[in-house]
Amino acid sequence: MAVVLAVVLSGIGGRVSRDIGLAVCNVARAGGLVAGCEEHGPWPPPGPSPGPPVQPVTRPDPVCTADGSGGYHDLTVVVPAQVLNLRGSIRVFYTIGKVVAPGKRDRWVVSVGAFTEGGVQTPDLPLVSGMWLGGNVTGTQYYSFDNEQEARDFPRRYAEQRARQAVRYHPVVLPLLSVPVVGDWLSDLIGGHLPEADRTAVEMGPAGGLNPGLNIGAVDLSAASRGWSLLGVQHDRDGNWIVNMRDRVLSDPTLTVDLSKLPKQVTRRGAQAVLNELELLGMTHFGPHFEIPAKLRDYVNRSVANGVKLGATVELIAQNDYQYMLDSKGTPVRFTRQVTTSWTLRGRGNINLGGGGSKVKIPATGQIPIDGGRQVSTSSLDLSDPMHRRAATALFTAGVLQRVGAVGLSSHRQAQLVDSLFRTRGTMTRLTYDELVSGRSGGLENLVGKLGGAIRYDGENSRTTLTGAEIWQNGRGWVPWTDCHR
């Protein structure tokens, strides 16, 4: 599956690059920075501060996303080499969000997609393991539903139909679809039909990560971290285009205690005490005859001796998005900045299923949610106003050029101007959520002796609940956004 996705995404890479270049050029042309998109000279620096507006202020409608959920499955493969290891990964993901709008029915927006990453990874170093650098290509599709249950069932249905499409385009099956009568029957049997997406997005850019760690006796400290810096385009069914810049970083500071390094009597008694409590809990639910088998007790004792680790993880995420939207005619419509920060606290347990004497490690990890929170701050400007358009275009274009390495324009002054316009002439909202995340992972490590090599699986499920909504009013600051609570 990873190979198939990599081939598909690499195949569209050239087209996506052209789309991104054309869309960025249209942004610059709309803002008056270039005359055309076929042949143009060097990009000029931002001009002087614009004059007074020539039309009344128009503010974009705010978007309220209430409760939501999501999840992903991630498979990573590390192929050992003499100097730098090769690293590749594939992730499939989905999110579901309830969108509330005054005077309208609630709707649920579902995003489904996948990304693939490829790069090189260093061998393990004394204080850092798995430092890598490479690239990321992400594809996402967005759908909206009026029925909540239909929205929640859609990610499963989407995965099923994509699998059917893979069968449809198999080299053996594809020619049979052209055979009269048989082709129609086979097409109906295979299926693989999906509704038209509201929006389709493709992004690409550099990615990297590392995992610093420190061992102090029975205590392990680590902070696995990774980041992306992506540039891409979105296209909706109405013909509108959105040029998107996204920066995302995350880190998982983790503390675990290796029970196998504690005195054996302590770990054995602790494990038996936990099992005794579980046995009493089982008796209250299933009757006085409930009993944990002796073989299971022995297995727990052996597992603790092989290296059971208990501890906690705090996941920290920060994301910054800029979006420049143009309609089907290339006219600027809206400029949006969204800043998302989140944290989640989880209890975790690690166990090595490979056994104490095995060279190949088979780590397995489970994570249970404890607490967490998320804040999403969104600022938007209507670009029908020439002053808004010039300021937003200059800032966005400078960011794009810095990202692609074409030129190093300073955007600090433009950022201050746009921030001022957001407060006085735009729309600003701030949403706060409770967030709980559970996770699981497993894999195989040390597959090629001293060279290493690994196959790892990671998965997460999350749920967010809206706890606070505010909207900015010029002259009053942040005030409760009552229309968002429903």
Side-chain angles (χ1 to χ4, degrees), residues 59 416 418-426 428 472 474:
R59 299 178 186 270
Q416 288 182 321
V418 172
D419 284 341
S420 176
L421 292 175
F422 279 144
R423 289 191 300 269
T424 59
R425 303 172 61 84
M428 296 174 59
W472 180 271
N474 193 27

Side-chain angles (χ1 to χ4, degrees), residues 148-444:
E148 180 179 5
Q149 190 57 49
E150 186 178 0
R152 298 201 176 279
D153 291 341
F154 185 73
R156 176 190 54 79
R157 186 161 66 91
Y158 182 90
E160 177 184 312
Q161 295 303 315
R162 285 300 187 192
R164 290 176 178 271
Q165 287 180 354
V167 174
R168 176 183 290 272
Y169 291 106
H170 191 278
V172 175
V173 176
L174 189 59
L176 298 177
L177 297 176
S178 302
V179 178
V181 182
V182 175
D184 294 338
W185 172 81
L186 190 59
S187 179
D188 293 338
L189 178 65
I190 296 174
H193 304 291
L194 284 167
E196 183 184 2
D198 295 341
R199 284 181 291 144
T200 299
V202 179
E203 301 166 293
M204 61 177 62
L210 74 163
N211 185 17
L214 180 65
N215 175 261
I216 307 175
V219 178
D220 290 330
L221 301 172
S222 64
S225 305
R226 66 194 301 176
W228 301 265
S229 184
L230 306 180
L231 175 65
V233 292
Q234 299 182 31
H235 187 249
D236 65 22
R237 62 170 66 188
D238 296 325
N240 300 315
W241 290 87
I242 297 175
V243 188
N244 186 78
M245 290 191 297
R246 173 177 302 168
D247 295 310
R248 179 183 174 95
V249 294
L250 64 86
S251 182
D252 293 338
T254 299
L255 183 149
T256 57
V257 177
D258 189 342
L259 301 185
S260 66
K261 295 183 180 179
L262 299 177
K264 292 183 178 180
Q265 291 183 346
V266 174
T267 57
R268 186 177 296 110
R269 290 175 182 174
Q272 293 304 316
V274 171
L275 292 175
N276 291 338
E277 289 297 324
L278 292 175
E279 193 171 68
L280 290 174
L281 183 62
M283 290 180 181
T284 61
H285 288 279
F286 305 108
H289 300 292
F290 179 84
E291 182 180 18
I292 293 179
K295 289 185 177 180
L296 178 57
R297 289 180 177 271
D298 292 339
Y299 177 77
V300 171
N301 287 331
R302 291 196 306 270
S303 298
V304 170
N306 288 340
V308 170
K309 298 180 181 181
L310 298 178
T313 293
V314 180
E315 183 176 68
L316 308 173
I317 300 178
Q319 180 169 306
N320 189 36
D321 286 83
Y322 285 99
Q323 294 186 338
Y324 194 109
M325 181 177 181
L326 305 101
D327 65 17
S328 58
K329 298 179 180 179
T331 304
V333 176
R334 185 170 60 249
F335 178 66
T336 302
R337 180 185 66 195
Q338 187 172 84
V339 179
T340 304
T341 57
S342 68
W343 68 275
T344 56
L345 173 63
R346 318 169 200 173
R348 67 183 291 142
N350 301 42
I351 185 172
N352 177 22
L353 302 177
S358 175
K359 294 182 180 180
V360 176
K361 296 182 179 179
I362 310 177
T365 301
Q367 301 183 44
I368 57 174
I370 298 177
D371 199 2
R374 174 186 293 249
Q375 186 177 88
V376 180
S377 300
T378 306
S379 306
S380 299
L381 272 179
D382 182 273
L383 297 187
S384 61
D385 186 302
M387 179 173 64
H388 298 177
R389 187 164 60 249
R390 285 193 296 269
T393 301
L395 175 63
F396 192 82
T397 304
V400 170
L401 291 177
Q402 290 175 355
R403 189 172 299 257
V404 300
V407 66
L409 294 177
S410 174
S411 58
H412 179 68
R413 176 171 166 270
Q414 290 295 337
Q416 288 182 321
L417 174 59
V418 172
D419 284 341
S420 176
L421 292 175
F422 279 144
R423 289 191 300 269
T424 59
R425 303 172 61 84
T427 301
M428 296 174 59
T429 61
R430 187 166 62 191
L431 305 179
T432 306
Y433 304 85
D434 284 341
E435 182 172 26
L436 295 177
V437 177
S438 61
R440 63 274 176 197
S441 62
L444 301 171

Side-chain angles (χ1 to χ4, degrees), residues 5 9 12 91 93 112-116 136-142 158 200-203:
L5 181 63
L9 290 178
I12 64 174
R91 175 179 295 189
F93 57 86
V112 287
F115 73 59
T116 182
N136 176 299
V137 179
T138 301
T140 312
Q141 291 188 306
Y142 300 83
Y158 182 90
T200 299
V202 179
E203 301 166 293

